[in-house]
Amino acid sequence: MSPHTNMWVEFGKSFGMLFAVLAFFLIALYLVRRFSGRFGNKGSMALIKILSVHHLSPKEKLVLVAVQEESILIGISPAGISSLARFDKLPEPLPASEPVETAKGFQNLLKKSLMKGNDGQKMPVGSNSSDSGKGERS
């Protein structure tokens, strides 16, 4: 082996060890974050429960929290946290709405915004690719 080849072998070993140490730290960090809240309160009962979260914008949300036998609606924004309403009893859980309804609502909103943004030009709305490029839907 030439001295030039030995240098690349040593470089490969050093890079491999650096990669192994970084991978170990990333795995350890992941495990600490994943299991950090599970071992602290084994014998105690959870006094505060988050019932629902509704995001209004990327930095604003509504949170429904149950504390003992009372429900509190909290508003969270960059300006701070404020209590909006208090309820004496816990609300009944509602069945989750189907994602199909949300998707159709989004499709309708997208169609309206596309039609509004065209300034009188008509664009194909459907996914039919056999429109021959005229721009109008038949």
Side-chain angles (χ1 to χ4, degrees), residues 94-102:
L94 297 174
S97 63
E98 297 180 11
V100 174
E101 294 175 5
T102 305

XYZ file of all heavy atoms in Angstrom, residues 94-102:
65
model
N -68.054 14.828 20.382
C -68.748 14.789 19.097
C -68.010 13.853 18.156
O -66.789 13.754 18.211
C -68.796 16.186 18.487
C -69.573 17.232 19.271
C -69.412 18.587 18.611
C -71.034 16.860 19.356
N -68.750 13.174 17.277
C -68.054 12.330 16.301
C -67.252 13.200 15.339
O -67.678 14.291 14.971
C -69.185 11.596 15.573
C -70.397 12.423 15.808
C -70.200 13.116 17.132
N -66.097 12.707 14.978
C -65.221 13.459 14.082
C -65.853 13.558 12.705
O -66.419 12.603 12.190
C -63.857 12.783 13.989
N -65.766 14.743 12.108
C -66.308 14.913 10.760
C -65.418 14.180 9.768
O -64.226 14.012 9.974
C -66.390 16.393 10.400
O -65.094 16.946 10.386
N -66.012 13.770 8.684
C -65.279 13.005 7.682
C -64.336 13.916 6.917
O -64.679 15.039 6.586
C -66.258 12.348 6.711
C -67.172 11.333 7.366
C -68.129 10.715 6.374
O -67.931 10.917 5.169
O -69.057 10.044 6.809
N -63.137 13.450 6.603
C -62.204 14.275 5.856
C -62.684 14.564 4.443
O -62.243 15.499 3.821
C -60.914 13.460 5.838
C -61.224 12.143 6.425
C -62.586 12.198 7.021
N -63.620 13.764 3.923
C -64.135 13.996 2.576
C -64.855 15.341 2.519
O -64.722 16.089 1.561
C -65.070 12.836 2.159
C -65.722 13.110 0.831
C -64.308 11.536 2.129
N -65.627 15.664 3.579
C -66.328 16.941 3.611
C -65.342 18.097 3.586
O -65.544 19.087 2.893
C -67.202 17.022 4.860
C -68.350 16.032 4.864
C -69.113 16.058 6.178
O -68.807 16.906 7.032
O -70.005 15.223 6.336
N -64.263 17.990 4.331
C -63.249 19.035 4.352
C -62.598 19.167 2.984
O -62.369 20.264 2.507
C -62.186 18.706 5.411
O -62.839 18.516 6.650
C -61.174 19.814 5.544
